[in-house]
Amino acid sequence: MPRFRLTPPTVVFLLLLQGVAVVLLFGWYVQVLPCGSPPSQGKVHVLLLSSWRSGSSFLGQVFSQHPSVFYLMEPSWHVWTTLQMPGARALRMAVRDLMRSVFQCDMSVMDAYTPAQHNMSALFMWSHSRALCSPPACQLTPRHLFSNETECKRKCDRPGLQGAEEACRTYSHVVLKEVRFFELDSLYPLLQDPTLDLRIIHLVRDPRAVARSREQSAKALVKDNALVLEQGNTKVDDTQYRVMQEICRSHIRIHERAMLKPPDFLRGRYKMVRYEDMVRDPLTEIDSMYQFVGLEMTQSLQEWIYKVTHGKGKGTKKEAFQITSRNAADVSQAWRTTLPHDKVRNIQEVCKGAMSLLGYRTVDSEKEQKKLDVDLLTPRERYHFSWLPSKTDNTNNE
Ligand SMILES: *[C@@H]1O[C@H](CO)[C@@H](O)[C@H](O)[C@H]1NC(C)=O
Ligand SMILES: *[C@@H]1O[C@H](CO)[C@@H](O)[C@H](O)[C@H]1NC(C)=O
């Protein structure tokens, strides 16, 4: 048997070698970890990013009713209604940090924005979240069934947010819907946070349809308008479409940021969806959104989606903030017969860039506007783009 003599330099060398090996192995280990699983514990975090009156409540329900989803609607409403600030720009970091906490199921962040002894009902539109009406938050609705808001409100309120926190931890997907976000840059820290696996679904809608819908709910929007226009605690009627202009600009800003030279950490994490495509072919569009975030479509979800998008009528004023069964494809065209042409022209003027980028054709005359067989949607293939990760592919190290 050969014998080695360990001289001090040999020992030092061996120790160094061992150190290097440990460092290399650790680096390798970190790289080959199934990306996304340990740090974010396999959880996927989804931000439904949209603006007022763009069908985002419906999209929110599409996720909220999924049995694997913990959903909250507009947590940033609390920030906007509590903090005194001149506008959206100053509020966005507080909004971002609140979203990060909620994504991580830490609801204590809400303490800053709710009364001292609050119930679950202190959360904005809490009963829209199926997860807050299901175990473990509440025994009312089994997870695989569809929740009833009225019933939930009556039976599921309880003191504190522990129930919400506990529920949040049991889901594979945490989905937040926000309309109070106008750029992507302030979200970079969330996209780079190893404890989050964030996907962004950017929902846009024809600005002319948005404008019509905004007119119908004008009163409810005056405070938000002021913050969009950086005018603090005033009330702003948007008769000049300045808010529309800001919203259109923000769509351009967001879309261009994600599509033209996106930073690496944004790849595979952004998908733009046009409301009109979604209502024309709900099952296909929703299925592709589910795939994008790794959710399974189920038979009962398919039936539910069909039912809520194929009701009757265009929705009354009272229904403006509710999800009811109406013919969604009709609703998306309603502006063409009800909005005066001069208004249409004004909106087209302030939103020209966004309309062209997102694939909405302008109309040149009242006749063209009212001729419903003229399709104003540019075929979606050209615009249907996302850095879509394939199903088995992992996006974290792209
Ligand atoms: C929800 O429940 C209420 C009363 O419990 C009922 O009147 C209503 O029709 C239900 N809504 C749906 C959509 O089932
Ligand atoms: C909080 O919920 C309890 C039921 O758990 C209810 O009795 C109480 O009235 C609620 N408080 C508020 C302020 O809504």
Side-chain angles (χ1 to χ4, degrees):
M1 219 165 90
R3 293 174 57 185
F4 296 103
R5 245 197 302 149
L6 292 178
T7 61
T10 317
V11 171
V12 169
F13 175 73
L14 284 175
L15 280 177
L16 272 177
L17 197 66
Q18 188 188 16
V20 168
V22 165
V23 168
L24 285 178
L25 269 175
F26 181 74
W28 174 77
Y29 173 73
V30 166
Q31 278 201 334
V32 298
L33 274 181
C35 305
S37 19
S40 73
Q41 281 150 2
K43 251 192 183 9
V44 177
H45 307 86
V46 183
L47 173 60
L48 305 177
L49 186 57
S50 190
S51 62
W52 294 268
R53 317 307 306 151
S54 295
S56 64
S57 298
F58 168 65
L59 186 60
Q61 282 306 303
V62 163
F63 282 87
S64 181
Q65 298 290 359
H66 194 289
S68 302
V69 168
F70 180 88
Y71 169 76
L72 283 187
M73 179 163 162
E74 315 280 356
S76 67
W77 176 89
H78 292 276
V79 177
W80 275 42
T81 52
T82 309
L83 299 185
Q84 298 287 322
M85 286 284 174
R89 199 183 141 69
L91 288 163
R92 67 199 163 134
M93 296 307 175
V95 169
R96 174 194 72 194
D97 294 342
L98 172 122
M99 286 195 329
R100 185 196 323 244
S101 302
V102 176
F103 274 139
Q104 291 167 335
C105 300
D106 170 9
M107 302 292 166
S108 68
V109 65
M110 287 296 174
D111 284 351
Y113 307 108
T114 43
Q117 300 293 323
H118 52 261
N119 272 6
M120 197 136 78
S121 56
L123 292 180
F124 182 61
M125 300 280 192
W126 69 287
S127 56
H128 285 237
S129 167
R130 197 264 319 138
L132 296 182
C133 319
S134 299
C138 178
Q139 297 308 314
L140 180 67
T141 314
R143 284 189 183 216
H144 63 281
L145 296 185
F146 298 96
S147 62
N148 178 319
E149 216 194 300
T150 322
E151 291 281 312
C152 183
K153 249 186 207 156
R154 210 159 50 205
K155 304 213 174 108
C156 293
D157 198 14
R158 64 192 232 195
L161 297 179
Q162 289 79 5
E165 249 183 50
E166 201 185 317
C168 180
R169 290 202 199 97
T170 64
Y171 288 90
S172 61
H173 289 68
V174 181
V175 180
L176 304 180
K177 180 202 116 176
E178 293 291 1
V179 294
R180 294 171 172 84
F181 235 96
F182 303 90
E183 37 74 48
L184 291 180
D185 299 38
S186 58
L187 293 177
Y188 284 5
L190 303 198
L191 287 155
Q192 293 174 287
D193 185 335
T195 67
L196 297 180
D197 182 357
L198 180 61
R199 319 280 166 95
I200 299 168
I201 294 181
H202 182 203
L203 177 70
V204 300
R205 185 181 180 187
D206 189 326
R208 295 162 294 195
V210 173
R212 174 187 177 261
S213 181
R214 288 177 63 89
E215 283 188 350
Q216 290 188 314
S217 39
K219 275 216 189 90
L221 297 169
V222 289
K223 275 193 181 157
D224 287 323
N225 290 348
L227 290 167
V228 173
L229 297 175
E230 305 286 330
Q231 296 182 4
N233 201 14
T234 51
K235 291 186 173 178
V236 177
D237 272 321
D238 186 26
T239 47
Q240 300 300 311
Y241 300 117
R242 282 180 304 150
V243 176
M244 278 310 301
Q245 185 169 33
E246 269 317 305
I247 290 170
C248 283
R249 282 182 187 153
S250 80
H251 287 323
I252 297 178
R253 209 177 294 138
I254 291 168
H255 193 62
E256 287 191 341
R257 169 59 83 228
M259 307 306 294
L260 309 175
K261 290 204 204 150
D264 279 350
F265 51 79
L266 195 48
R267 285 167 192 254
R269 299 174 178 281
Y270 172 86
K271 179 176 171 63
M272 190 269 272
V273 175
R274 292 188 304 191
Y275 175 74
E276 292 76 12
D277 291 322
M278 181 168 74
V279 297
R280 283 183 190 189
D281 190 359
L283 289 178
T284 309
E285 287 294 318
I286 291 167
D287 198 38
S288 103
M289 280 185 261
Y290 278 177
Q291 273 185 36
F292 176 65
V293 303
L295 284 171
E296 295 280 332
M297 177 64 92
T298 68
Q299 179 75 32
S300 56
L301 277 163
Q302 279 187 348
E303 286 163 11
W304 178 82
I305 290 163
Y306 186 87
K307 199 177 82 193
V308 295
T309 49
H310 291 78
K312 281 202 178 103
K314 300 192 171 155
T316 62
K317 220 169 183 175
K318 194 164 150 264
E319 290 171 339
F321 284 95
Q322 295 170 353
I323 326 280
T324 48
S325 183
R326 16 180 165 138
N327 200 326
D330 282 354
V331 176
S332 77
Q333 289 263 62
W335 68 270
R336 293 182 73 172
T337 48
T338 52
L339 202 61
H341 185 61
D342 58 331
K343 285 189 179 175
V344 169
R345 287 233 300 269
N346 286 343
I347 299 156
Q348 291 183 166
E349 191 54 39
V350 298
C351 287
K352 205 188 301 170
M355 289 178 65
S356 138
L357 182 70
L358 305 173
Y360 297 108
R361 290 198 182 102
T362 54
V363 291
D364 295 326
S365 67
E366 183 164 359
K367 201 168 149 219
E368 193 183 358
Q369 177 186 331
K370 300 214 156 134
K371 214 160 170 276
L372 294 187
D373 55 334
V374 177
D375 193 356
L376 299 180
L377 207 58
T378 309
R380 66 166 227 195
E381 280 69 33
R382 274 181 58 203
Y383 294 89
H384 190 70
F385 182 89
S386 67
W387 300 97
L388 192 66
S390 70
K391 268 183 181 168
T392 49
D393 198 0
N394 234 307
T395 53
N396 270 32
N397 59 347
E398 276 185 349

